[in-house]
């Protein structure tokens, strides 16, 4: 296949020793089918389990894998920014290292990255979490859509394919999970064009979510309030190179996508 893009796939990982190996293996297999020019990056965000040891073994087996270690846990936003800043290929894809998404579904997103699209965003077909997490997640998405004017369906679906040139149009600063809101809002304000596709979401097989506890939720909503003031009221999104056209969101059904 000619004119195939170069692709970086990266995973932020925090205490994901039980899942990160399978993520790397499946990503490598998937990328080999999509392109001849790719790289894998794992950002180990100060994990306290044996994630670092697992990644060391993987590096000896997969020559295209590069591991970046944060000496201490800096937060999800910092891990994402590290991944993006170290990506060298034309397209950048990321998802979490906890295997709640199937990295092989990157093959479904790639065909949607046409010349008139800058970002392909996944949205969860259904959320495989306990009921209270589903309710909290739905409330979170509703608040974010209303407060920030987010146009895509699922801002907290961390299954994204982005052109590196498009990412470089903005400058992100969030260190926490609110980086997803900052990212999408900044992309929208920069005029980037979106496509959307449904992806599967699975039960967490290893480890424990760092988001769903009262202290973390309180901090998240405090961070959201600060971000809302900066991006919506003060209009201080850091846009380096605005796009010429207005943003548009395109929802692609499975039926249309499979044609």
């Amino acid at each position: 296949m000619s004119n195939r893009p170069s692709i970086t796939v990266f995973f932020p990982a925090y205490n994901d020793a039980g899942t990160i190996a399978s993520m790397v293996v499946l990503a490598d297999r998937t990328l080999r089918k999509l392109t001849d020019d790719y790289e894998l990056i794992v950002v180990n965000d100060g994990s306290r389990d044996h994630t670092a040891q697992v990644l060391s073994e993987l590096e000896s087996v997969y020559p295209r894998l590069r591991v970046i270690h944060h000496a201490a846990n800096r937060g999800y936003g910092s891990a994402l920014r590290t991944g993006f800043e170290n990506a060298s290929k034309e397209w950048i894809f990321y998802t979490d290292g906890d295997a709640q998404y199937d990295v092989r579904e990157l093959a479904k997103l790639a065909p949607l990255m046409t010349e008139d699209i800058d970002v392909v965003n996944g949205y969860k077909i259904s959320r495989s979490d306990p009921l209270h997490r589903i309710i909290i997640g739905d409330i979170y998405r509703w608040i974010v859509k209303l407060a920030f004017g987010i146009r895509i369906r699922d801002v907290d679906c961390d299954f994204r394919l982005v052109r590196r040139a498009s990412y470089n149009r903005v400058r992100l600063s969030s260190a926490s999970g609110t980086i997803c809101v900052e990212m999408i809002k900044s992309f929208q304000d920069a005029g980037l064009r979106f496509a959307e596709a449904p992806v599967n979401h699975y039960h967490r097989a290893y480890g424990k979510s760092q988001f769903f506890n009262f202290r973390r939720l309180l901090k998240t909503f405090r961070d959201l309030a600060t971000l809302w003031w900066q991006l919506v009221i003060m209009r201080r999104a850091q846009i380096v190179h605005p796009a010429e056209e207005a943003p548009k969101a395109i929802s692609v059904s499975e039926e249309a996508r499979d044609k």
Side-chain angles (χ1 to χ4, degrees), residues 70-184:
H70 289 173
N73 181 250
R74 299 183 190 174
Y76 186 72
S78 293
L80 282 195
R81 287 190 285 115
T82 294
F84 276 110
E85 288 162 8
N86 284 275
S88 65
K89 305 303 181 182
E90 178 185 358
W91 293 0
I92 306 172
F93 169 82
Y94 83 89
T95 192
D96 297 341
D98 59 11
Q100 285 201 266
Y101 296 99
D102 185 348
V103 67
R104 291 173 295 184
E105 292 195 86
L106 168 60
K108 300 178 182 179
L109 270 61
L112 305 183
M113 187 65 89
T114 56
E115 291 183 359
D116 60 344
I117 294 297
D118 302 298
V119 182
V120 183
N121 204 94
Y123 63 88
K124 294 181 283 293
I125 296 171
S126 63
R127 186 166 190 156
S128 296
D129 279 325
L131 180 60
H132 71 283
R133 295 186 180 182
I134 294 174
I135 293 172
I136 293 172
D138 287 344
I139 293 171
Y140 177 84
R141 282 195 303 273
W142 181 82
I143 290 173
V144 164
K145 274 181 172 285
L146 185 66
F148 291 86
I150 298 297
R151 298 185 182 99
I152 63 171
R153 298 190 191 194
D154 194 353
V155 69
D156 66 342
C157 179
D158 291 297
F159 201 86
R160 293 191 173 97
L161 179 62
V162 183
R163 293 186 188 276
R164 184 159 64 96
S166 298
Y167 176 82
N168 288 339
R169 290 178 179 168
V170 304
R171 294 291 182 269
L172 305 180
S173 59
S174 294
S176 69
T178 56
I179 193 172
C180 298
V181 178
E182 182 189 16
M183 183 190 305
I184 299 303

Side-chain angles (χ1 to χ4, degrees), residues 147-243:
F148 291 86
I150 298 297
R151 298 185 182 99
I152 63 171
R153 298 190 191 194
D154 194 353
V155 69
D156 66 342
C157 179
D158 291 297
F159 201 86
R160 293 191 173 97
L161 179 62
V162 183
R163 293 186 188 276
R164 184 159 64 96
S166 298
Y167 176 82
N168 288 339
R169 290 178 179 168
V170 304
R171 294 291 182 269
L172 305 180
S173 59
S174 294
S176 69
T178 56
I179 193 172
C180 298
V181 178
E182 182 189 16
M183 183 190 305
I184 299 303
K185 174 63 174 171
S186 298
F187 284 171
Q188 286 184 179
D189 289 352
L192 301 190
R193 300 156 297 180
F194 291 76
E196 300 185 76
V199 296
N200 290 290
H201 183 259
Y202 299 96
H203 290 286
R204 191 181 183 99
Y206 176 88
K208 184 178 180 181
S209 172
Q210 302 299 310
F211 181 76
F212 291 95
N213 61 68
F214 180 77
R215 187 176 65 177
R216 188 62 60 91
L217 286 171
L218 186 63
K219 182 181 185 304
T220 295
F221 282 104
R222 187 169 60 243
D223 290 346
L224 269 183
T226 301
L227 193 63
W228 176 78
W229 182 262
Q230 293 174 344
L231 299 185
V232 179
I233 301 302
M234 304 301 293
R235 298 181 182 274
R236 289 180 179 171
Q238 298 185 61
I239 300 170
V240 181
H241 301 294

Side-chain angles (χ1 to χ4, degrees), residues 47-61:
S47 296
R48 297 179 180 179
D49 64 355
H50 51 285
T51 297
Q53 291 91 327
V54 171
L55 290 172
S56 178
E57 292 291 331
L58 288 169
E59 277 188 298
S60 67
V61 177

